[in-house]
Amino acid sequence: KNEEIRVLMKRFKWRLVALYCYSFGCLGIALASLGPALPHIAKKTNSSLRQAGTIFTARSAGYASGSVIGGIATSNNKTKDHGNLLICTCMVAVAIGTICAPFFNQIWILGGFICLQGVAMGVLDTAGNLLILHLITSINLNTPQQDTKSQSEPYLQSLHFVFALGAVAAPVIVGVFLGAQRFPINPLIPPFGIIGGLCIPAAIFAYILPSPPSPSKNDFEREERKKTEKLNFGGGNSQNPTVDMEMHPLFLSEPKSNLSESRRRNSERKLRFPEVKDGFSEAKEGFSESKEGFSKAKEGFSE
């Protein structure tokens, strides 16, 4: 099963990486779009800038709650292997929140709506980071965990790099339409519509592509066990190989009675070892006497 998952994730690796990076780019654009639009939001809702600024507090509260919800959802046994559906749902929510934001005329309704959008953003942030880790881990199950973490670092950095690019692009997109002053309608509708439309392709591809599974600790232990068996029986340089001979496939064909007989013979050899040792001692004493006899014969020959 692990090998099938590894092959599947290798096949869709770069498509999934592109999906998560694009999703984080859209997240950065949507997150930074409210700042340059704040004066127009205040004018639209007939409120001061101070009152309009409460929407940032509402979104931050929603973002924090969404991060907690995303952590729970990605660790739950029923939803942890369906992360891409979570990404799809969040991208749809972010798109709807961005497109509908210019149509609200009351600041408290807009604040509640932006808070819900912040929940989707928090879930997306948490789920995206975890899914990229699950993807790299699923491909590299046969490597140690610490090596897998080091291999996933460039992909995590790319997520946040694209997020920063999106945050830089958002004021440009919004500023182009706000500075034109050519629209008879609300000038926030075109830029927010474009930003919301950018989120739709991410939702579509997240629904189509397979989700990286959540690898458990048992998967790593199983792979380590396989590597240990190959090392102990494949000519490895293990210093202290500990092997259960009765359970290894090389010895399964031999009856246990033969193993018992072999152990009995080894025990008998160990019991006979003191007798052999005594025999060597007697032979050594005889050799010493023979040596003394040769010395005496040599002295007689000299005389």
Side-chain angles (χ1 to χ4, degrees), residues 45-275:
T45 56
N46 295 320
S47 58
S48 63
L49 283 176
R50 184 176 181 180
Q51 292 173 337
T54 56
I55 61 176
F56 294 105
T57 304
R59 187 176 62 184
S60 299
Y63 204 104
S65 303
S67 299
V68 176
I69 295 172
I72 295 173
T74 51
S75 60
N76 187 278
N77 290 330
K78 295 182 179 179
T79 58
K80 65 180 182 180
D81 291 333
H82 304 283
N84 280 0
L85 291 179
L86 199 62
I87 296 289
C88 175
T89 305
C90 292
M91 293 307 299
V92 171
V94 172
I96 294 174
T98 305
I99 294 172
C100 295
F103 294 97
F104 292 101
N105 295 322
Q106 295 183 350
I107 192 65
W108 65 273
I109 298 177
L110 177 61
F113 200 76
I114 293 298
C115 180
L116 295 177
Q117 185 193 41
V119 172
M121 289 179 172
V123 174
L124 176 62
D125 192 354
T126 304
N129 283 281
L130 285 175
L131 286 174
I132 201 77
L133 287 173
H134 292 170
L135 173 64
I136 305 304
T137 304
S138 300
I139 295 173
N140 299 285
L141 267 179
N142 55 349
T143 60
Q145 281 182 283
Q146 58 270 19
D147 295 341
T148 302
K149 291 178 181 178
S150 63
Q151 290 176 7
S152 61
E153 289 174 359
Y155 300 95
L156 289 172
Q157 297 292 339
S158 65
L159 287 183
H160 298 285
F161 173 73
V162 178
F163 175 86
L165 287 181
V168 171
V172 177
I173 297 173
V174 177
V176 167
F177 291 93
L178 295 183
Q181 299 293 339
R182 302 174 188 172
F183 300 98
I185 60 174
N186 184 354
L188 293 178
I189 294 177
F192 278 57
I194 292 173
I195 294 172
L198 291 174
C199 300
I200 301 301
I204 294 173
F205 283 102
Y207 182 80
I208 295 173
L209 293 175
S211 300
S214 175
S216 62
K217 186 178 179 182
N218 294 332
D219 294 332
F220 284 101
E221 293 177 351
R222 193 179 300 113
E223 294 294 332
E224 289 294 329
R225 201 178 302 122
K226 290 180 181 178
K227 289 170 63 178
T228 303
E229 290 177 357
K230 290 180 180 178
L231 184 65
N232 291 339
F233 293 94
N237 296 323
S238 177
Q239 295 179 354
N240 297 307
T242 303
V243 179
D244 188 358
M245 295 178 66
E246 293 185 5
M247 295 303 296
H248 195 271
L250 291 176
F251 299 94
L252 286 177
S253 58
E254 186 175 357
K256 289 188 177 181
S257 59
N258 294 347
L259 290 174
S260 302
E261 182 66 22
S262 176
R263 289 172 180 170
R264 185 183 62 79
R265 291 175 183 174
N266 289 334
S267 300
E268 290 178 356
R269 292 192 190 100
K270 291 180 181 179
L271 292 175
R272 289 199 301 268
F273 180 75
E275 299 175 1

Side-chain angles (χ1 to χ4, degrees), residues 276-286:
V276 176
K277 188 176 180 181
D278 293 339
F280 275 112
S281 300
E282 293 176 359
K284 186 177 180 181
E285 292 176 359

